[in-house]
Amino acid sequence: MNPASQRSSETNMTPQKLVQRTFAALFAVLLLLLGSSTAALAHDAVTGTTPANGSTVDAVPAKIEITMSNTPAVIGSQIMVVDSSGTDWSLGGVDVLDTVATQNVRPGAPAGKFTVKWRLVSSDSHPIEGEFTFTATSASTATAGAAVGAGPVVSVQAQPETTPETAPDESAVPWSVIGLGVVLVGLVIALLVVARRRLGKDS
């Protein structure tokens, strides 16, 4: 199509076609923004733990493992292994290898129910947290030599129940996208009004 015929086609475009094309373009932009916003909201998640949540093991394990969907950061991550009396048996800091965060457990941990309270920094630098439990039928079988230089066992004082900070709901649509959608709808309505006025003048 040569430039002259293209200009003629644009000149002969009716208001209805103009509105339809504009609406289709705006709708495509809105879908693109929604898709990118959903991807940005996705945070790392726990895919498994060792021991498994709610499981019963023969003895208190020498280490606790939490597997993530992506590699978590070491700095800012913490894992506590708390027994029924409130004592934290975690030893040292959190180690990360690939997608697995590992927390060593102090030797001498008694049999019973344990609550693993974790706070990990996901690959997008957003902290996420949670907890799981397991029960050991016998005490830890780790040797005392593993505790050299580890310092005393820390007792965790009971705290009033609070709602932990959790990652934002990934299914929520951000307000910026909602506001943009409202603006786009208003623009379409304005175009429709202009088109109707032009049709009224032409008639």
Side-chain angles (χ1 to χ4, degrees):
M1 180 182 294
N2 57 49
S5 59
Q6 183 177 359
R7 286 194 298 269
S8 176
S9 175
E10 292 175 353
T11 303
N12 295 331
M13 183 182 297
T14 63
Q16 294 94 326
K17 290 183 179 180
L18 178 61
V19 171
Q20 290 173 359
R21 292 189 179 184
T22 303
F23 181 77
L26 294 176
F27 185 70
V29 172
L30 181 60
L31 288 179
L32 181 62
L33 290 174
L34 286 174
S36 60
S37 298
T38 301
L41 286 173
H43 297 296
D44 299 345
V46 174
T47 60
T49 63
T50 303
N53 182 28
S55 64
T56 299
V57 296
D58 294 335
V60 179
K63 61 183 179 180
I64 302 296
E65 294 181 344
I66 300 176
T67 304
M68 304 286 292
S69 56
N70 284 298
T71 302
V74 176
I75 299 177
S77 294
Q78 182 181 27
I79 300 176
M80 301 172 63
V81 187
V82 183
D83 64 15
S84 57
S85 68
T87 300
D88 179 18
W89 290 89
S90 60
L91 172 63
V94 178
D95 295 322
V96 174
L97 179 61
D98 294 331
T99 59
V100 179
T102 302
Q103 174 63 61
N104 292 323
V105 180
R106 297 177 185 271
K113 184 176 181 179
F114 288 81
T115 301
V116 179
K117 302 180 179 181
W118 56 269
R119 182 181 187 274
L120 299 175
V121 179
S122 61
S123 58
D124 64 353
S125 301
H126 189 95
I128 56 177
E129 59 184 25
E131 62 181 47
F132 66 92
T133 62
F134 70 90
T135 301
T137 56
S138 61
S140 171
T141 58
T143 60
V148 174
V153 173
V154 179
S155 178
V156 180
Q157 300 294 329
Q159 299 291 337
E161 284 193 21
T162 58
T163 303
E165 180 185 355
T166 56
D169 183 5
E170 298 179 4
S171 63
V173 179
W175 284 107
S176 58
V177 176
I178 295 176
L180 181 59
V182 172
V183 172
L184 293 177
V185 171
L187 181 59
V188 171
I189 294 176
L191 290 173
L192 287 173
V193 171
V194 172
R196 287 183 178 179
R197 288 180 178 178
R198 288 184 178 179
L199 286 174
K201 292 180 179 180
D202 293 340
S203 61

